[in-house]
Amino acid sequence: MNMKRLAATAVIFAATGFAPALAQTVVNIGHGVQTGHPTHIGLLKLAELVKERTDGKVVIQVYPDRQLGEEREMVEGLQLGTVEMTVVSTGPVVNFVPEAGVLDLPFLFENSAHAYKVFDGDIGKELLAKFDGADMVGLAIWENGWRHLSAKKAVEKPSDLSGMKLRTMQNPVHMRAFEALGASPIPMAWGEVFTSLGQGVIDGQENPITIFYTNSLWEVQSHIALTGHVYGPHMVLASKSVWESWPEEVRTAVLEALPDATAFQRSESLRLETEQAELLRERGVNIAKIDTTPFREKAQAVYSSFDFDPALLERIRAVAAE
């Protein structure tokens, strides 16, 4: 057991004086979204379940809103062992596990139920296993939400994106998709987005409703087009070195609580998206349903730009019919 890695873990001896008994382990989890986001709420539920099921012997501390760094920094921290666990978008992840980029292909999933079947089934397990080779442990796939376009003007068709300086994640799949749609993608760390929108450095961005609302983007953006161009996963990850240093009781407690926390997080995502869309309308944001057919047609060019396994794509599509 790596005692340096377990500095936060107190170990006492049982009454026999021979077998060590776990007293308390503190698990630190960082993420990049606000406290009103379903991922933060889901992590609080995970902490509650783990504490309850271990009689307080495992305590999860949640650090929201990039307190442990931007998403890429937290992923790098996992590899170094300086960050224990995190929940991040696929934006920075594809730089470490390229295979995860398949989830970012535009219009890949038909609906949320389709995505859940993929994530919770064999395909999701196979993708999560890929993180082992990058010194991380892939634990679960949560929901960031369906990504939509926002701008200072209405967007109804791909030609409306012509020349638009659009913030994207630092994700090559997303960037190529918006190039195909006619925009000028600008990869940017999330902490710079609000100010850049306000100053006109960028014209628009794309994110789920919950991100738009919890970051008060209505102050700098007046229109949302419900493109639903990408389903946004949130990856629940652990540092491999830290994970392996924890006592088995800690790993088991987290693994056993994750399915319930995952279901709760997804249900909160749906609830909050519906509620927050109405709140945005009350704040004067124009949220428009649009015909996504021309966006779908143009975005298909992205599929041939990346070397994703065709058999995997067919498996993902086939899950929708199961």
CSV table of all heavy atoms in Angstrom, one decimal, residues 209-243:
chain,number,residue,atom,x,y,z
A,209,ILE,N,-28.1,23.3,-22.5
A,209,ILE,CA,-28.9,24.4,-21.8
A,209,ILE,C,-28.4,24.6,-20.4
A,209,ILE,O,-28.3,25.7,-19.9
A,209,ILE,CB,-30.4,24.0,-21.8
A,209,ILE,CG1,-31.0,24.0,-23.2
A,209,ILE,CG2,-31.2,24.9,-20.9
A,209,ILE,CD1,-31.1,25.4,-23.8
A,210,THR,N,-28.1,23.5,-19.7
A,210,THR,CA,-27.7,23.7,-18.3
A,210,THR,C,-26.4,24.4,-18.1
A,210,THR,O,-26.2,25.2,-17.1
A,210,THR,CB,-27.5,22.3,-17.6
A,210,THR,OG1,-26.7,21.4,-18.4
A,210,THR,CG2,-28.9,21.6,-17.4
A,211,ILE,N,-25.5,24.3,-19.1
A,211,ILE,CA,-24.2,25.1,-19.0
A,211,ILE,C,-24.5,26.5,-19.3
A,211,ILE,O,-24.0,27.5,-18.7
A,211,ILE,CB,-23.2,24.5,-20.1
A,211,ILE,CG1,-22.7,23.1,-19.6
A,211,ILE,CG2,-22.0,25.5,-20.2
A,211,ILE,CD1,-21.8,23.1,-18.4
A,212,PHE,N,-25.4,26.8,-20.3
A,212,PHE,CA,-25.7,28.1,-20.7
A,212,PHE,C,-26.4,28.9,-19.5
A,212,PHE,O,-26.0,30.0,-19.2
A,212,PHE,CB,-26.7,28.1,-21.8
A,212,PHE,CG,-27.0,29.4,-22.5
A,212,PHE,CD1,-26.4,29.8,-23.6
A,212,PHE,CD2,-28.0,30.3,-21.9
A,212,PHE,CE1,-26.7,31.1,-24.2
A,212,PHE,CE2,-28.2,31.5,-22.4
A,212,PHE,CZ,-27.6,31.9,-23.6
A,213,TYR,N,-27.2,28.2,-18.8
A,213,TYR,CA,-28.0,28.8,-17.7
A,213,TYR,C,-27.1,29.0,-16.5
A,213,TYR,O,-27.0,30.1,-15.9
A,213,TYR,CB,-29.2,28.0,-17.3
A,213,TYR,CG,-29.9,28.6,-16.1
A,213,TYR,CD1,-30.9,29.6,-16.3
A,213,TYR,CD2,-29.7,28.1,-14.8
A,213,TYR,CE1,-31.5,30.2,-15.3
A,213,TYR,CE2,-30.4,28.7,-13.8
A,213,TYR,CZ,-31.3,29.7,-14.0
A,213,TYR,OH,-32.0,30.3,-12.9
A,214,THR,N,-26.4,28.0,-16.0
A,214,THR,CA,-25.6,28.1,-14.8
A,214,THR,C,-24.4,29.0,-14.9
A,214,THR,O,-23.8,29.4,-13.9
A,214,THR,CB,-25.1,26.7,-14.3
A,214,THR,OG1,-24.4,26.0,-15.4
A,214,THR,CG2,-26.3,25.8,-13.9
A,215,ASN,N,-24.0,29.4,-16.1
A,215,ASN,CA,-22.9,30.3,-16.4
A,215,ASN,C,-23.4,31.7,-16.8
A,215,ASN,O,-22.6,32.5,-17.2
A,215,ASN,CB,-21.9,29.8,-17.4
A,215,ASN,CG,-21.1,28.6,-16.8
A,215,ASN,OD1,-20.1,28.9,-16.2
A,215,ASN,ND2,-21.6,27.4,-17.0
A,216,SER,N,-24.7,31.9,-16.7
A,216,SER,CA,-25.4,33.2,-16.9
A,216,SER,C,-25.0,33.8,-18.3
A,216,SER,O,-24.9,35.0,-18.5
A,216,SER,CB,-24.9,34.3,-15.9
A,216,SER,OG,-25.2,33.8,-14.6
A,217,LEU,N,-25.0,32.9,-19.3
A,217,LEU,CA,-24.7,33.3,-20.6
A,217,LEU,C,-25.8,34.2,-21.3
A,217,LEU,O,-25.5,34.8,-22.3
A,217,LEU,CB,-24.3,32.1,-21.5
A,217,LEU,CG,-23.0,31.4,-21.2
A,217,LEU,CD1,-22.7,30.4,-22.3
A,217,LEU,CD2,-21.9,32.3,-21.0
A,218,TRP,N,-26.9,34.2,-20.7
A,218,TRP,CA,-28.0,35.1,-21.2
A,218,TRP,C,-27.6,36.6,-21.1
A,218,TRP,O,-28.1,37.4,-21.8
A,218,TRP,CB,-29.3,34.9,-20.4
A,218,TRP,CG,-29.3,35.4,-19.0
A,218,TRP,CD1,-29.4,36.6,-18.6
A,218,TRP,CD2,-29.1,34.6,-17.8
A,218,TRP,NE1,-29.4,36.7,-17.2
A,218,TRP,CE2,-29.1,35.4,-16.7
A,218,TRP,CE3,-28.9,33.2,-17.6
A,218,TRP,CZ2,-29.0,35.0,-15.4
A,218,TRP,CZ3,-28.7,32.8,-16.3
A,218,TRP,CH2,-28.8,33.7,-15.2
A,219,GLU,N,-26.6,36.9,-20.3
A,219,GLU,CA,-26.1,38.2,-20.2
A,219,GLU,C,-25.3,38.7,-21.5
A,219,GLU,O,-25.2,39.9,-21.7
A,219,GLU,CB,-25.3,38.4,-19.0
A,219,GLU,CG,-26.0,38.2,-17.7
A,219,GLU,CD,-25.1,38.4,-16.5
A,219,GLU,OE1,-24.0,38.8,-16.6
A,219,GLU,OE2,-25.6,38.0,-15.3
A,220,VAL,N,-24.8,37.7,-22.2
A,220,VAL,CA,-24.0,38.0,-23.4
A,220,VAL,C,-24.4,37.3,-24.7
A,220,VAL,O,-23.8,37.5,-25.7
A,220,VAL,CB,-22.5,37.6,-23.1
A,220,VAL,CG1,-21.9,38.6,-22.1
A,220,VAL,CG2,-22.4,36.2,-22.6
A,221,GLN,N,-25.5,36.5,-24.6
A,221,GLN,CA,-26.0,35.8,-25.8
A,221,GLN,C,-27.6,35.9,-25.7
A,221,GLN,O,-28.2,35.6,-24.6
A,221,GLN,CB,-25.6,34.3,-25.8
A,221,GLN,CG,-24.1,34.1,-25.9
A,221,GLN,CD,-23.6,34.1,-27.3
A,221,GLN,OE1,-23.5,33.1,-27.9
A,221,GLN,NE2,-23.3,35.3,-27.9
A,222,SER,N,-28.2,36.2,-26.8
A,222,SER,CA,-29.7,36.3,-26.8
A,222,SER,C,-30.4,35.3,-27.6
A,222,SER,O,-31.7,35.2,-27.4
A,222,SER,CB,-30.0,37.7,-27.5
A,222,SER,OG,-29.4,37.8,-28.8
A,223,HIS,N,-29.7,34.4,-28.3
A,223,HIS,CA,-30.4,33.4,-29.1
A,223,HIS,C,-29.8,32.0,-28.9
A,223,HIS,O,-28.6,31.9,-28.8
A,223,HIS,CB,-30.4,33.7,-30.6
A,223,HIS,CG,-31.2,34.9,-31.0
A,223,HIS,ND1,-30.8,36.2,-30.7
A,223,HIS,CD2,-32.4,35.0,-31.6
A,223,HIS,CE1,-31.7,37.0,-31.2
A,223,HIS,NE2,-32.7,36.3,-31.8
A,224,ILE,N,-30.7,31.0,-28.8
A,224,ILE,CA,-30.3,29.6,-28.8
A,224,ILE,C,-31.0,28.9,-29.9
A,224,ILE,O,-32.2,29.0,-29.9
A,224,ILE,CB,-30.6,28.9,-27.4
A,224,ILE,CG1,-29.7,29.6,-26.3
A,224,ILE,CG2,-30.3,27.4,-27.5
A,224,ILE,CD1,-30.0,29.0,-24.9
A,225,ALA,N,-30.3,28.2,-30.7
A,225,ALA,CA,-30.9,27.3,-31.7
A,225,ALA,C,-30.8,25.9,-31.3
A,225,ALA,O,-29.7,25.4,-31.0
A,225,ALA,CB,-30.2,27.5,-33.1
A,226,LEU,N,-31.9,25.2,-31.2
A,226,LEU,CA,-31.9,23.8,-30.6
A,226,LEU,C,-31.4,22.8,-31.7
A,226,LEU,O,-32.2,22.1,-32.3
A,226,LEU,CB,-33.3,23.5,-30.1
A,226,LEU,CG,-33.8,24.3,-28.9
A,226,LEU,CD1,-35.2,24.0,-28.6
A,226,LEU,CD2,-32.8,24.1,-27.7
A,227,THR,N,-30.1,22.9,-32.0
A,227,THR,CA,-29.5,22.0,-33.0
A,227,THR,C,-29.4,20.6,-32.5
A,227,THR,O,-29.4,19.6,-33.3
A,227,THR,CB,-28.2,22.6,-33.4
A,227,THR,OG1,-27.4,22.9,-32.3
A,227,THR,CG2,-28.4,23.8,-34.3
A,228,GLY,N,-29.1,20.4,-31.2
A,228,GLY,CA,-28.8,19.1,-30.7
A,228,GLY,C,-27.8,18.3,-31.5
A,228,GLY,O,-27.9,17.1,-31.7
A,229,HIS,N,-26.8,19.1,-31.9
A,229,HIS,CA,-25.8,18.5,-32.9
A,229,HIS,C,-24.9,17.4,-32.3
A,229,HIS,O,-24.4,16.5,-33.0
A,229,HIS,CB,-24.9,19.6,-33.5
A,229,HIS,CG,-24.3,20.5,-32.4
A,229,HIS,ND1,-25.0,21.6,-32.0
A,229,HIS,CD2,-23.1,20.5,-31.8
A,229,HIS,CE1,-24.2,22.3,-31.1
A,229,HIS,NE2,-23.1,21.6,-31.0
A,230,VAL,N,-24.7,17.5,-31.0
A,230,VAL,CA,-23.9,16.5,-30.3
A,230,VAL,C,-24.4,16.2,-28.9
A,230,VAL,O,-24.9,17.1,-28.2
A,230,VAL,CB,-22.4,16.9,-30.1
A,230,VAL,CG1,-21.6,16.0,-29.2
A,230,VAL,CG2,-21.7,17.0,-31.5
A,231,TYR,N,-24.5,14.9,-28.5
A,231,TYR,CA,-24.8,14.5,-27.2
A,231,TYR,C,-23.5,14.7,-26.4
A,231,TYR,O,-22.5,14.1,-26.7
A,231,TYR,CB,-25.3,13.1,-27.1
A,231,TYR,CG,-25.6,12.7,-25.6
A,231,TYR,CD1,-26.9,12.9,-25.1
A,231,TYR,CD2,-24.6,12.2,-24.8
A,231,TYR,CE1,-27.1,12.5,-23.8
A,231,TYR,CE2,-24.8,11.8,-23.5
A,231,TYR,CZ,-26.1,12.0,-23.0
A,231,TYR,OH,-26.3,11.7,-21.7
A,232,GLY,N,-23.6,15.5,-25.3
A,232,GLY,CA,-22.3,15.7,-24.5
A,232,GLY,C,-22.2,14.8,-23.3
A,232,GLY,O,-22.9,15.0,-22.3
A,233,PRO,N,-21.3,13.8,-23.3
A,233,PRO,CA,-21.0,13.0,-22.2
A,233,PRO,C,-20.2,13.7,-21.1
A,233,PRO,O,-19.4,14.6,-21.5
A,233,PRO,CB,-20.3,11.8,-22.7
A,233,PRO,CG,-20.3,11.9,-24.2
A,233,PRO,CD,-20.5,13.4,-24.5
A,234,HIS,N,-20.3,13.3,-19.9
A,234,HIS,CA,-19.4,13.7,-18.9
A,234,HIS,C,-18.7,12.4,-18.4
A,234,HIS,O,-19.4,11.5,-17.9
A,234,HIS,CB,-20.1,14.4,-17.7
A,234,HIS,CG,-19.9,15.9,-17.7
A,234,HIS,ND1,-20.5,16.7,-16.8
A,234,HIS,CD2,-19.1,16.7,-18.5
A,234,HIS,CE1,-20.1,18.0,-17.0
A,234,HIS,NE2,-19.3,18.0,-18.1
A,235,MET,N,-17.4,12.3,-18.5
A,235,MET,CA,-16.6,11.1,-18.1
A,235,MET,C,-16.2,11.2,-16.7
A,235,MET,O,-15.6,12.1,-16.2
A,235,MET,CB,-15.4,11.0,-19.0
A,235,MET,CG,-15.6,11.3,-20.5
A,235,MET,SD,-16.8,10.1,-21.3
A,235,MET,CE,-15.8,8.6,-21.3
A,236,VAL,N,-16.6,10.1,-15.9
A,236,VAL,CA,-16.2,10.0,-14.5
A,236,VAL,C,-14.9,9.2,-14.5
A,236,VAL,O,-14.9,8.0,-14.9
A,236,VAL,CB,-17.3,9.2,-13.7
A,236,VAL,CG1,-16.9,9.2,-12.2
A,236,VAL,CG2,-18.6,9.9,-13.9
A,237,LEU,N,-13.8,9.8,-14.1
A,237,LEU,CA,-12.5,9.2,-14.2
A,237,LEU,C,-11.7,9.3,-12.9
A,237,LEU,O,-12.0,10.2,-12.0
A,237,LEU,CB,-11.6,10.0,-15.2
A,237,LEU,CG,-12.3,10.1,-16.6
A,237,LEU,CD1,-11.4,11.0,-17.5
A,237,LEU,CD2,-12.4,8.8,-17.3
A,238,ALA,N,-10.8,8.4,-12.7
A,238,ALA,CA,-9.9,8.3,-11.5
A,238,ALA,C,-8.5,8.2,-12.0
A,238,ALA,O,-8.2,7.7,-13.0
A,238,ALA,CB,-10.3,7.2,-10.6
A,239,SER,N,-7.6,8.7,-11.1
A,239,SER,CA,-6.2,8.5,-11.4
A,239,SER,C,-5.8,7.0,-11.1
A,239,SER,O,-6.2,6.5,-10.1
A,239,SER,CB,-5.3,9.3,-10.4
A,239,SER,OG,-4.0,8.9,-10.4
A,240,LYS,N,-5.2,6.4,-12.0
A,240,LYS,CA,-4.9,4.9,-11.9
A,240,LYS,C,-4.0,4.7,-10.7
A,240,LYS,O,-4.3,3.8,-9.9
A,240,LYS,CB,-4.2,4.4,-13.2
A,240,LYS,CG,-4.0,2.9,-13.2
A,240,LYS,CD,-3.4,2.5,-14.5
A,240,LYS,CE,-3.1,1.0,-14.5
A,240,LYS,NZ,-2.5,0.5,-15.8
A,241,SER,N,-3.0,5.5,-10.5
A,241,SER,CA,-2.1,5.3,-9.4
A,241,SER,C,-2.8,5.5,-8.0
A,241,SER,O,-2.6,4.7,-7.1
A,241,SER,CB,-0.9,6.2,-9.5
A,241,SER,OG,-1.3,7.6,-9.4
A,242,VAL,N,-3.7,6.5,-8.0
A,242,VAL,CA,-4.4,6.8,-6.7
A,242,VAL,C,-5.4,5.7,-6.5
A,242,VAL,O,-5.6,5.1,-5.4
A,242,VAL,CB,-5.1,8.1,-6.8
A,242,VAL,CG1,-6.0,8.3,-5.5
A,242,VAL,CG2,-4.1,9.2,-6.9
A,243,TRP,N,-6.2,5.3,-7.5
A,243,TRP,CA,-7.2,4.3,-7.4
A,243,TRP,C,-6.6,3.0,-6.9
A,243,TRP,O,-7.2,2.3,-6.0
A,243,TRP,CB,-7.8,4.0,-8.8
A,243,TRP,CG,-8.9,3.0,-8.8
A,243,TRP,CD1,-8.8,1.7,-9.2
A,243,TRP,CD2,-10.3,3.2,-8.5
A,243,TRP,NE1,-10.0,1.1,-9.2
A,243,TRP,CE2,-10.9,1.9,-8.7
A,243,TRP,CE3,-11.0,4.3,-8.0
A,243,TRP,CZ2,-12.3,1.8,-8.5
A,243,TRP,CZ3,-12.4,4.1,-7.8
A,243,TRP,CH2,-13.0,2.8,-8.0
